[in-house]
Every structure is written in C-alpha cells, then in structure tokens.
C-alpha cells in the first residue's frame, strides 16, 4: 500500500480566506504557534513540575489549533485539512499574533508572554461562548476552561518572579518591557472580522481591553512590576507581516512535510 | 515545589540490625508481604532500592531528551500532540519515581545532584541519538517494549511504593509501545524512503535495546540480593529472551529485517540471537556513548538555567509566609 503523492505537495497550499475561514485560521495559528513555543521547553524547564505544566498548556493549545483548523477546512470546503494548514503554508500565509511567535527567551519571558495572552484568551473565549456559530461556541467553551488555567498558572508565576529575588524581578520586568508592544494586536479588528462581529459570529475584542488591562495591572501590582507607558503597538501578524522569528519556527515545524512531499505519517 | 524537610538524608540506618529483625524481614518477603516506608528494613535493602528507583527516575528524565528532540519536528499535528503527551508522561514517571525514592529517605535534590555530577547512572539506551522520525517509532516500539518487559515483574516488587508506581508506569508504557509500533507500521506502509528510514532505525537501535536488559546472568552484580528480596524476579537473560521472542514476529509483520543474519528459532521456539558486543555497552556505561556528554550537558543546563527561577519561588514563598505571620501577630 504505497501512498504516493496524493494532494500534498511541497508547494504552499492556496487558501480561500473568506472572513470565517480567515477568522478560524487566525485563532488556530495563535494556538499552534504558542503551543509549539511551549513544546520547545519540554525536557529543559527549570523544574520537573514546570516541564509538566508547560507541556500541559502546549497540549491544550495544540488541541485548540486542531479543532480550529478542522473547522476552517470544513468551512472552506476545498480539500485542505489541519495538517495542510499547519505544514504547507509559508510565513506570509500565517495569521497569528506577533506576540505568540516571540522566542521563549528565559522563563520570565515565556511566562510574561503566556500571561499577556492568557489574560486575553480567557476573556475572549468566555465571550465567544455566546457566538451564533455553534462550532465556534463549542470550541470557545472548551478553550475557556483551558485558558482559565493558563491564566492562573502564569499569573502565579508573574507574582513569584516579580516579588521573588532581585534577579527574577529584573528578568520579569525586562520581559514585560520587551513584549508590551505586542499586546495591542490582540484587540485590533479589521474589515474582514468586523462583518463577523456584526453578524454575532465573533465578538469584538476591543470590548475586552479594559478588563484585560485591569487583570494585567492587578497582577503586575501584586508582583511589584510596572507596565510601560509606551503605547506604540506593533501589528502585522494577522495579515501575514511577521517578525523574523516565525520563519525559523516554521522551517523546523514543517521540515518533514517539506522534505518528503506527499508522504503519510 | 517539593518538600524541604527531606533535603538532607539521615545517612545510614541507625537501627541496630540484629539477626532476629533481619530474619523477620526476610520472612515477610518470603510470605509475599509488601514492605512499606515506615517498616524496618536492612540498610542494604534501602540502599539497593534507592539506587534502583533513582536510576529509574533519572532514566525517565534523561529519556525525555532523545524524544523531545523531535517534538518540534513531528510530521503531523496528531503525531506532535501524541509525542508531546508521551514525553510529558515520561516526566510524570520521573516525578513519581523520585517520590517513591524519597520514601526511602533521600531527597529528590540529592538524587538529582548525583546524576548531574555524573555519579548516578541512567539507562544507557538514552545515550544514542534520534536521527530521523523513524527513531521515534523505534523508541516507542522497542525501547518502551523492553522497558515494559523489565517493569511488569516490578509491579510485584517487595517494596510497596515502587510496586505501585510500576503499575501506573506500565499502563502508560504499554500505550506508548503501541503508539510506537503504529508509527513504524505507518512508515512501513509508506514510501520507499520511509521504509528505508524505518529499517535504518531498527538497524541502529536493535543491539542497544538488547543491552537494556543488562549484562549476561553470569556476570551480573546485583541479582543475588535483589532476587532474595524479591526486587528482581527474572534474570537479565530470561527477560532478554522473552523480549526477543515477542519482537521477532512484530518485525516480520512490519516487513523489517532484524540486523542479526544468524538469528534462528530453536526447537523450543525461542529465537537465538548472536553474541552481544558487551564492549560497546561498557563503553557507553563509561561515558563514551555517542550522546553521553550531550545528555548530561542538557540536563545540567536546564538545572543551572532554572536556578534563579527556583530561588525566586523559594524567596517569594518566604516573603509570603513572613507577611502572613506579621498579619497574624497584629
């Protein structure tokens, strides 16, 4: 039973990015890229308990990505699937937030990235449970439970690191300062998504910003950390203009599918 | 965070090991009773078990590295999730086993320090590299398969916490083994390149896997006491033969060739294999395997890079406690 070259090729797939497909791909890419980053820690974390926790969160996110890709494929109806979306799109076809592709750096950086995103995702998925799209509402219900844990876990670490030693405080503060400019993109909405919001399929992330800021400010305060005044925000991930880091991540993630086109694994 | 109370061990057993107690202990073992942490036990029993359980724990943790090497390159999302979950399971086994070792009076930190200092062993199989995706299949199929063969009898080991840990570990390992076999099956039913990849992985892993069962019975150092104490219930060679007999038909099913042209089935049905190169085994044990240095370096780096995180957690816990006490005093 030789599987030969079916529809998969090394070339990038083409995607019809209708608003709903694009919507699902953006969230799927968020989950995959952050999940991938967390999986890079496996075997190298500061303590075994954290190896377990980082892998746990990575697995949650991978699960979210798979459901969202599968939904995108179904809506698109063009013979794409979760693996084609993940393995056969190039950097410019990826739609994730810039924040999530940022390298792990030290443990403080990983946790601050996790915290900024989880504080958003927790609110976002909870609100999305009211989506008029039953599949998205179901994915949101599952993702919300997971995000709530991710938020709790990362918040506790932000407090420990901020209010721990001088070194951990310095590292946590540096991570906040470096990553802050990537947080604005979470709340941005373009025309494609605006239509979905108006139709009740998606929720408006801008409406979550003040609650997010309250959460982040509260935890940072308890951690004796400060939030930057700089309100310049980097954007571009949602439309495929990424940082230099994503290409390296994808060249690793996609290496087997690109090297052995058409093989079944 | 793990407990501080266990951070220093008491050293040797201070109880007087009179002959009567030792005899009573052996009688309990002979009656298939389980020994529990608070029970009296000979110092040598404690030492043997601490060594064995902690080596087992180190193996789980170091074993995360060769497979972790492929998490970021797993070829599909399903494989990626399964591999990440598998490596996470190994970590869980490590934690569980360190906890079992702690019941014998040695702290996890102490045991880990010995490993990082190169003074404690871990399974030599993890000193071989994972070069292709087929290695991930082969590790699941053969390395986990061999581990199960070794560990199933340990579920009846005389020391309660170890036996109970093994029951849980074996359940997960047998799932990993099936997963590994399924990776191999997919490769063997795949393209010519994939089949070649699978055969090459088997060629490289076969002999090191047979070495996992330890030296031949005639030279094994630890077996006598371990057998008497019912820590070990089968000899190295017995387990190795069981493993080979179980594996040959699986390789045939996959259409792969075991790299031992002289292997043949005897009249009792056992597959007789060629002599094992124990020099290679001894070299790997002595630190000269292809990845010994890389593995230790990776564990040391994780430990050292994480030091400030662990210190921060301790410092924060201290501050928190201090504040609570101050509050209570008001």
């Amino acid at each position: 039973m030789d599987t030969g070259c079916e529809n998969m090729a090394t070339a990038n797939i083409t995607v019809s990015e209708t608003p709903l497909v694009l919507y699902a791909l953006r969230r799927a890419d968020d989950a995959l890229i952050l999940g991938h980053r967390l999986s890079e820690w496996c075997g190298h974390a500061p303590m075994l308990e954290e190896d377990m926790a980082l892998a746990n969160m990575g697995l949650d996110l991978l699960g979210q990505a798979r459901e969202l890709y599968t939904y995108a494929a179904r809506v698109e109806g063009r013979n794409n699937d979760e693996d084609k979306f993940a393995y056969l799109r190039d950097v410019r076809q990826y739609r994730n937030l810039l924040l999530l592709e940022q390298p792990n750096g030290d443990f403080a950086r990983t946790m601050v990235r996790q915290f900024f995103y989880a504080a958003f995702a927790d609110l976002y998925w909870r609100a999305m449970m009211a989506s008029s799209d039953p599949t998205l509402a179901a994915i949101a219900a599952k993702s919300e439970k997971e995000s709530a844990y991710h938020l709790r876990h990362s918040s506790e670490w932000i407090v420990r690191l901020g209010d721990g030693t001088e070194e951990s405080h310095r590292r946590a503060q540096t991570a906040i300062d470096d990553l802050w400019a990537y947080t604005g993109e979470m709340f941005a909405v373009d025309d494609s998504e605006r239509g979905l919001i108006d139709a009740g399929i998606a929720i408006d992330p801008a409406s979550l910003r003040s609650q997010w800021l309250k959460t982040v400010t509260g935890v940072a305060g308890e951690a004796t950390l400060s939030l930057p005044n700089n309100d310049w925000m980097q954007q571009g991930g949602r439309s495929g203009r990424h940082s230099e880091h994503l290409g390296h991540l994808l060249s690793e993630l996609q290496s087997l599918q690109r090297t052995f086109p058409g093989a079944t694994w | 965070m793990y407990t501080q109370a266990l951070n220093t061990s008491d050293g040797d057993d201070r109880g007087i090991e009179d002959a009567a107690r030792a005899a009573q202990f052996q009688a309990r073992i002979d009656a298939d009773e389980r020994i529990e942490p608070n029970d009296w036990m000979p110092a040598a029993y404690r030492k043997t078990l601490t060594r064995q359980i902690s080596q087992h724990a180190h193996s789980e943790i170091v074993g995360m590295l060769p497979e972790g090497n492929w998490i970021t390159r797993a070829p599909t999302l399903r494989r990626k999730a399964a591999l990440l979950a598998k490596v996470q399971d190994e970590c869980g086994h490590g934690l569980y086993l360190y906890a079992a070792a702690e019941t014998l009076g040695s702290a996890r930190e102490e045991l880990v320090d010995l490993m990082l200092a190169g003074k404690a062993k871990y399974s030599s199989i993890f000193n071989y590299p994972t070069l292709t995706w087929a290695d991930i299949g082969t590790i699941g199929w053969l390395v986990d398969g061999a581990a199960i063969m070794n560990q199933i009898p340990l579920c009846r080991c005389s020391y309660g916490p170890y036996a109970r840990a093994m029951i849980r570990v074996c359940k997960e390992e047998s799932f990993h083994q099936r997963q590994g076999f399924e990776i191999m099956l997919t490769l063997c039913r795949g393209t010519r390149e994939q089949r070649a990849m699978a055969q090459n992985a088997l060629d490289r892993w076969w002999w090191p896997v047979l070495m996992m069962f330890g030296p031949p019975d005639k030279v094994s150092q630890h077996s006598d006491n371990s057998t008497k104490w019912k820590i070990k219930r089968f000899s190295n060679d017995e387990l190795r033969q069981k493993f080979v007999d179980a594996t040959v038909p699986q390789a045939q099913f996959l259409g792969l060739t075991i790299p031992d042209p002289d292997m043949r089935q005897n009249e009792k049905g056992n597959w007789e294999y060629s002599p094992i190169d124990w020099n290679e085994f001894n070299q790997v044990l002595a630190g000269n395997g292809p990845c010994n240095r890389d593995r230790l370096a990776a564990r040391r780096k994780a430990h050292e890079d994480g030091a400030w995180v662990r210190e921060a957690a301790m410092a924060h816990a201290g501050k928190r406690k201090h504040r609570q006490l101050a509050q209570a005093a008001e």
Side-chain angles (χ1 to χ4, degrees):
Chain A
M1 188 170 114
D2 208 316
T3 47
C5 296
E6 295 151 9
N7 298 313
M8 264 204 197
T10 28
N12 296 325
I13 55 165
T14 53
V15 182
S16 325
E17 288 186 336
T18 59
L20 188 53
V21 170
L22 179 59
Y23 175 88
L25 283 180
R26 283 170 170 173
R27 270 73 203 174
D29 289 348
D30 284 350
L32 174 63
I33 297 302
L34 183 57
H36 181 96
R37 282 292 187 219
L38 293 176
S39 80
E40 291 173 354
W41 272 103
C42 192
H44 309 281
M47 61 201 78
L48 298 180
E49 286 79 355
E50 215 42 42
D51 263 312
M52 300 288 288
L54 292 165
N56 244 337
M57 295 192 289
L59 282 166
D60 287 345
L61 290 161
L62 272 177
Q64 293 173 16
R66 295 182 65 188
E67 286 174 5
L68 286 158
Y69 282 136
T70 300
Y71 185 52
R74 200 172 88 208
V75 174
E76 191 197 21
R78 283 187 35 168
N79 210 24
N80 282 325
D81 58 34
E82 58 171 19
D83 287 328
K84 288 183 188 172
F85 284 133
Y87 289 89
L88 298 177
R89 281 181 307 147
D90 207 346
V91 174
R92 287 178 302 124
Q93 295 174 290
Y94 261 78
R95 301 288 179 242
N96 59 283
L97 297 165
L98 297 175
L99 173 68
L100 308 177
E101 71 199 39
Q102 297 308 305
N104 286 337
D106 62 12
F107 185 72
R109 203 178 171 89
T110 291
M111 272 305 140
V112 167
R113 185 185 63 199
Q114 195 68 27
F115 170 61
F116 281 160
Y117 179 68
F120 169 76
D122 184 45
L123 297 170
Y124 187 81
W125 290 123
R126 199 177 315 148
M128 274 298 290
M129 287 162 66
S131 167
S132 63
D133 181 315
T135 306
L136 290 178
I139 292 173
K142 179 170 166 285
S143 304
E144 191 278 326
K145 287 193 196 81
E146 294 165 348
S147 307
Y149 163 70
H150 301 182
L151 175 59
R152 196 174 74 229
H153 186 81
S154 55
S155 301
E156 285 170 2
W157 270 113
I158 298 303
V159 172
R160 279 186 208 114
L161 297 180
D163 188 25
T165 62
E166 241 174 74
E167 182 181 7
S168 67
H169 180 89
R170 176 178 56 74
R171 287 175 182 266
Q173 188 61 58
T174 303
I176 288 179
D177 295 346
D178 288 349
L179 294 174
W180 182 250
Y182 297 109
T183 57
E185 198 179 20
M186 296 189 289
F187 306 98
V189 171
D190 62 4
D191 291 343
S192 166
E193 202 156 314
R194 179 62 61 197
L196 298 177
I197 294 169
D198 293 342
I201 292 169
I203 60 111
D204 187 351
S207 68
L208 307 172
R209 188 175 175 108
S210 63
Q211 183 58 41
W212 177 83
L213 197 59
K214 202 174 144 198
T215 306
V216 169
T217 309
V219 172
E222 198 188 337
T224 73
L225 294 164
S226 56
L227 301 177
N229 295 318
N230 184 3
D231 59 2
W232 171 255
M233 291 292 159
Q234 301 289 350
Q235 292 197 35
R238 289 290 188 228
S239 53
R241 280 177 293 115
H242 289 276
S243 65
E244 290 178 347
H245 306 296
L246 184 63
H248 295 282
L249 184 157
L250 293 182
S251 68
E252 194 172 335
L253 185 146
Q254 300 179 339
S255 59
L256 277 179
Q257 291 280 2
R258 299 287 190 178
T259 310
F260 301 98
T264 300
W265 302 92
Chain B
M1 292 277 94
Y2 30 97
T3 172
Q4 288 295 297
L6 286 163
N7 282 3
T8 49
S9 74
D10 301 331
D12 292 333
D13 251 21
R14 284 154 299 174
I16 303 157
E17 296 182 25
D18 57 280
R21 274 178 132 173
Q24 208 175 23
F25 174 83
Q26 190 59 47
R28 288 188 63 198
I29 300 256
D30 294 341
D32 274 334
E33 278 182 45
R34 282 275 157 82
I35 307 302
E36 296 298 334
N38 292 329
D39 297 347
W40 184 89
M41 62 187 85
Y45 178 83
R46 187 184 298 276
K47 197 175 159 195
T48 297
L49 273 169
T50 303
R51 180 181 51 79
Q52 181 169 338
I53 299 173
S54 61
Q55 280 182 12
H56 194 161
H58 303 328
S59 301
E60 299 283 358
I61 300 307
V62 176
M64 294 170 73
L65 298 170
E67 291 181 279
N69 185 36
W70 279 90
I71 292 172
T72 55
R73 289 180 289 170
T76 68
L77 295 183
R78 180 171 83 90
R79 295 290 186 206
K80 192 182 185 67
L83 182 58
L84 179 55
K86 183 194 180 217
V87 179
Q88 187 196 34
D89 281 348
E90 312 294 357
C91 183
H93 298 170
L95 269 173
Y96 211 53
L97 285 161
Y98 282 126
E102 285 190 326
T103 65
L104 291 160
S106 302
R108 195 212 300 186
E109 288 94 328
E110 259 184 276
L111 299 169
V112 168
D113 284 348
L114 283 174
M115 190 259 284
L116 295 177
K119 289 178 187 159
K121 291 194 173 68
Y122 55 85
S123 179
S124 58
I125 195 73
F126 300 120
N127 291 315
Y128 289 87
T130 49
L131 301 181
T132 70
W133 176 250
D135 292 42
I136 298 308
T138 307
I139 288 182
W141 173 37
L142 297 183
V143 174
D144 291 330
I148 293 166
M149 221 39 112
N150 265 328
Q151 290 167 14
I152 293 268
L154 287 172
C155 298
R156 292 186 294 131
C157 149
S158 60
Y159 190 56
Y162 193 29
R164 288 188 289 274
M166 280 305 106
I167 290 170
R168 180 168 142 175
V169 167
C170 282
K171 276 186 191 147
E172 293 184 351
E173 293 294 1
S174 81
F175 181 68
H176 298 163
Q177 201 261 352
R178 286 198 296 275
Q179 227 168 37
F181 187 79
E182 202 255 326
I183 290 176
M184 294 307 276
L185 192 59
T186 307
L187 292 175
C188 290
R189 287 175 174 175
T191 64
R192 195 171 41 80
E193 276 172 309
Q194 286 175 305
R195 285 195 294 274
M197 196 188 273
Q199 180 63 54
N200 174 268
L202 176 60
D203 291 347
R204 282 181 289 111
W205 288 93
W206 175 254
W207 293 106
V209 165
L210 291 197
M211 296 173 199
M212 281 178 71
F213 295 93
D217 294 348
K218 52 184 189 291
V219 299
S220 179
Q221 299 167 7
H222 302 295
S223 293
D224 292 348
N225 268 339
S226 291
T227 305
K228 185 181 85 183
W229 288 328
K230 292 191 183 166
I231 297 170
K232 195 168 176 61
R233 288 173 181 265
F234 298 97
S235 76
N236 293 350
D237 287 335
E238 282 168 341
L239 290 168
R240 190 166 12 243
Q241 188 61 55
K242 259 174 108 161
F243 172 78
V244 171
D245 291 342
T247 305
V248 170
Q250 293 170 1
Q252 287 170 340
F253 181 81
L254 291 171
L256 295 175
T257 308
I258 288 175
D260 182 357
D262 296 330
M263 184 182 247
R264 54 185 181 77
Q265 203 168 17
N266 64 22
E267 62 284 358
K268 284 185 290 178
N270 298 124
W271 286 91
E272 289 178 5
Y273 47 90
S274 300
I276 293 171
D277 178 5
W278 292 108
N279 181 43
E280 174 178 331
F281 180 71
N282 290 328
Q283 285 297 329
V284 178
L285 276 191
N288 296 324
C291 298
N292 292 58
R293 283 163 200 275
D294 289 346
R295 300 295 183 236
L296 262 188
R299 285 314 306 161
R300 282 180 189 143
K301 184 173 190 309
H303 191 74
E304 285 160 15
D305 288 355
W308 69 269
V309 179
R310 297 189 299 274
E311 280 160 21
M314 297 302 291
H316 178 73
K319 285 183 186 179
R320 188 161 270 218
K321 196 171 174 189
H322 188 75
R323 272 181 232 136
Q324 278 167 351
L325 287 175
Q327 231 167 22
E330 273 171 22

